[in-house]
């Protein structure tokens, strides 16, 4: 178990039983009013906030997939007592009842927890993860309001929320608390276009070294994940949120402009390889793989050796079986789960669809026997046609989807299986004519 996970294990175990009974629909107590709503409350907050400082701390990527996106905490320090607590909204528990099912349907419960800042930072340093600290220039009222908010949020009735990869995670929660305390001063500057990033490309960039997650993301994400993000949307990543805040100016109580971040320092620099700046282009490699598999399917399907037919039939069963399962999952994810905003409107359903489960039986049987059937021919032609239609739709600007890696592998193979079945039909007729 890693150092960070050891630090969090106790809190996870204590919360496991509570999580079983919790849901994001549980009744919450009213959120504290924002600054400026109550003069008497603001005076009390100013008194408390006068002895506080607020900082944002980001933690660089780690070893595991769910750590590669980085992490973030909002740290409150009391100058009178010296106590400093780092509040983070990234708590989850693998032992939560039906965790996998909740994860797949988008109903994963996360929660907020506070830790001594020094201990929290040290755990990430032991994991060789870069630690960056941004000191914020806030009024005493705003600091006191943030203290009220995290105290409210830490209560059992308020701490749980439905995690969302891009729209509601540990980073966006920190962004939203800060925007609440600033009375919406992030709204206008963060509504501006970002740096040309998309959810797909950022996820591909971060998971590029993972041989399973990278292609899985390319298959799973639909067109909605390809729109260019605003700064607000880019803030789902802790490092990008920190960068945007570091460049931001806000208004003080008198309306004067001031820098929000007064100090931006790195407390610890990891010596691990840095993340790539942009997502790698895997389309050429994918095309070589797709065309290579397609050529093998066409050439080997016409072989007379039984061993070769068995090999082609085995690949057919694997290809169509896995594709059919993935296609069914894509349809469900894009229509009935909470992942619709990112996995809906996905043209990959024309490349992978439930019909492939039928092909896993009839096409495989035809290749096994070395003779075509009407069912095998019909199913393989329909699958190939759908695949080609999906490719053609990429020429329509409003339907364009950045899934070239998927197309490069799947389209040639789907077409190859249709050709292979057609070749079997021609060969059977030729053999019959010579008898």
């Amino acid at each position: 178990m890693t150092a960070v996970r050891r630090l969090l294990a106790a809190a996870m175990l204590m919360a496991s039983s509570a999580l079983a009974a919790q849901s994001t629909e549980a009744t919450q107590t009213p959120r504290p009013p924002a600054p400026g709503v109550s003069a008497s409350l603001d005076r009390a907050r100013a008194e408390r906030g006068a002895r506080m400082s607020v900082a944002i701390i980001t933690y660089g990527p780690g070893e595991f997939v769910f750590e590669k996106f980085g992490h973030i905490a909002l740290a409150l320090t009391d100058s009178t007592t010296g106590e400093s607590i780092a509040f983070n909204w990234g708590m989850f528990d693998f032992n939560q009842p039906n965790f996998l099912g909740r994860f797949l349907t988008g109903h994963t419960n996360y929660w907020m927890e506070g830790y001594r800042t020094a201990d929290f930072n040290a755990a990430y340093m032991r994991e060789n993860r870069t630690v960056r600290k941004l000191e914020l220039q806030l009024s005493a009222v705003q600091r006191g309001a943030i203290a009220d908010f995290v105290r409210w949020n830490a209560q059992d009735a308020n701490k749980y929320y439905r995690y969302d990869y891009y729209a509601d995670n540990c980073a966006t929660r920190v962004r939203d608390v800060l925007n609440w305390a600033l009375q919406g001063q992030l709204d206008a500057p963060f509504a501006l276009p970002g740096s040309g990033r998309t959810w797909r490309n950022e996820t591909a960039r971060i998971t590029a070294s993972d041989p399973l997650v990278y292609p899985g993301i390319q298959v799973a994400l639909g067109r909605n994940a390809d729109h260019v993000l605003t700064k607000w949307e880019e803030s789902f990543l802790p490092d990008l949120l920190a960068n945007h805040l570091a460049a931001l100016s806000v208004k003080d109580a008198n309306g004067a402009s001031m820098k929000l971040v007064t100090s931006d320092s790195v407390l610890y620099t990891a010596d691990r390889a840095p993340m790539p700046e942009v997502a790698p282009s895997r389309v050429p490699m994918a095309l070589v793989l797709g065309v290579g598999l397609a050529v093998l399917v066409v050439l080997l399907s016409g072989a007379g050796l039984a061993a070769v037919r068995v090999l082609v039939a085995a690949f057919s069963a694997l290809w169509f079986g896995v594709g059919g399962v993935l296609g069914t999952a894509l349809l469900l994810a894009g229509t009935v789960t909470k992942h619709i905003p990112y996995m809906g409107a996905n043209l990959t359903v024309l490349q992978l669809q439930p019909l492939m489960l039928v092909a896993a039986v009839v096409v495989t049987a035809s290749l096994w026997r070395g003779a075509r059937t009407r069912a095998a021919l019909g199913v393989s032609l329909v699958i190939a046609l759908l695949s080609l239609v999906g490719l053609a739709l990429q020429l329509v600007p409003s339907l364009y989807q950045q899934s070239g890696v998927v197309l490069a592998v799947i389209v040639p193979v789907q077409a190859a299986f249709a050709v292979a079945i057609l070749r079997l039909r021609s060969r059977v007729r030729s053999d019959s004519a010579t008898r």
Side-chain angles (χ1 to χ4, degrees):
M1 183 178 289
T2 66
V4 172
R5 297 177 76 185
R6 282 197 299 270
L7 177 68
L8 305 182
M12 289 182 177
L13 290 174
M14 287 189 294
S16 293
S17 58
L19 268 172
Q22 286 287 341
S23 72
T24 55
E25 291 78 22
T27 302
Q28 294 186 336
T29 60
R31 187 170 70 173
V37 174
S38 168
S40 60
L41 180 58
D42 283 351
R43 285 193 295 270
R45 284 172 168 172
E47 184 177 343
R48 293 193 301 272
R51 63 178 185 268
M52 289 183 178
S53 63
V54 179
I56 287 176
I57 306 176
T58 65
Y59 307 93
E63 177 182 354
F64 298 97
V65 170
F66 59 86
E67 297 174 340
K68 290 185 180 297
F69 292 79
H71 192 42
I72 193 169
L74 185 65
L76 273 64
T77 303
D78 189 317
S79 60
T80 302
T81 64
E83 181 183 54
S84 181
I85 303 297
F87 295 92
N88 89 94
W89 283 261
M91 299 295 296
F92 68 96
D93 185 6
F94 285 121
N95 295 319
Q96 175 186 349
N98 194 30
F99 178 86
L100 181 59
R102 287 177 173 271
F103 176 81
L104 293 175
T105 58
H107 287 87
T108 309
N109 278 343
Y110 274 51
W111 73 92
M112 183 265 261
E113 198 78 41
Y115 297 90
R116 290 185 65 248
T117 302
D119 294 341
F120 203 58
N121 289 350
Y124 283 90
M125 292 176 186
R126 288 194 295 270
E127 291 297 325
N128 192 29
R129 299 175 65 174
T130 295
V131 180
R132 176 186 180 187
K133 183 178 182 180
L134 283 71
E135 294 280 0
L136 302 182
Q137 185 171 203
L138 300 170
S139 70
V141 173
Q142 291 165 341
R143 296 194 298 270
I146 289 176
D148 285 352
F149 186 94
V150 296
R151 187 181 302 112
W152 165 84
N153 203 172
Q155 298 172 11
D156 284 342
N158 309 319
K159 67 194 297 184
Y160 298 95
Y161 71 101
R162 187 185 70 80
Y163 179 85
D164 185 285
Y165 311 118
Y166 302 121
D168 199 352
N169 63 16
C170 62
T172 65
R173 288 266 158 166
V174 171
R175 175 202 65 194
D176 294 348
V177 172
L178 185 59
N179 193 39
W180 170 83
L182 289 168
Q183 296 175 274
Q185 291 196 61
L186 300 187
D187 290 341
F190 275 44
L192 298 174
S195 48
R197 303 168 191 265
T198 67
W199 280 313
R200 184 193 301 275
N201 285 343
E202 282 302 279
T203 308
R205 175 179 68 86
I206 292 169
T207 62
S209 61
D210 193 301
L212 294 179
V213 175
Y214 174 83
I217 290 296
Q218 297 303 314
V219 168
L221 294 179
R223 293 198 310 279
N224 294 338
D226 292 325
H227 83 278
V228 178
L229 303 177
T230 63
K231 291 182 179 181
W232 183 267
E233 293 167 324
E234 285 185 346
S235 297
F236 83 96
L237 287 176
D239 280 347
L240 293 183
L241 173 59
N243 291 343
H244 294 328
L245 293 176
L248 184 67
S249 292
V250 296
K251 301 292 185 182
D252 65 13
N254 299 316
S257 180
M258 65 177 188
K259 295 290 291 183
L260 176 62
V261 175
T262 59
S263 172
D264 184 356
S265 58
V266 177
L267 306 182
Y268 175 81
T269 303
D271 60 7
R272 65 176 68 242
M275 286 287 180
E277 291 295 325
V278 296
S281 176
R282 300 278 171 80
V283 174
M285 184 194 323
L287 188 60
V288 169
L289 175 61
V291 172
L293 290 173
V295 170
L296 288 175
V297 167
V298 172
L299 292 180
L300 298 182
S301 62
L305 295 176
V308 176
R309 290 205 308 271
V310 169
L311 180 63
V312 175
F315 178 65
S316 170
L318 179 66
W319 177 267
F320 289 117
V322 172
V325 170
L326 290 177
T328 303
L330 286 180
L331 282 177
L332 294 174
T335 54
V336 300
T337 74
K338 296 293 186 180
H339 302 309
I340 292 174
Y342 321 110
M343 297 178 68
N346 191 348
L347 287 179
T348 300
V349 296
L350 293 174
Q351 308 301 328
L352 302 170
Q353 70 284 130
L355 183 60
M356 293 179 70
L357 294 174
V358 178
V361 176
V362 298
V363 173
T364 299
S366 185
L367 292 169
W368 176 280
R369 298 189 183 101
R372 65 91 178 160
T373 63
R374 288 184 178 179
L377 180 60
V379 169
S380 63
L381 286 175
V382 169
I383 290 175
L385 179 61
L386 289 173
S387 186
L388 292 171
V389 168
L391 177 63
L393 289 177
Q394 295 293 299
L395 302 177
V396 180
S398 62
L399 297 178
Y400 177 71
Q401 182 173 307
Q402 293 179 334
S403 52
V405 170
V406 176
L407 295 171
V409 174
I410 296 179
V411 174
V413 179
Q414 304 288 47
F417 273 112
V419 172
I421 297 298
L422 283 169
R423 292 183 74 241
L424 288 179
R425 177 184 181 185
S426 298
R427 191 189 70 183
V428 171
R429 285 185 172 180
S430 176
D431 290 348
S432 299
T434 59
R435 287 175 183 167

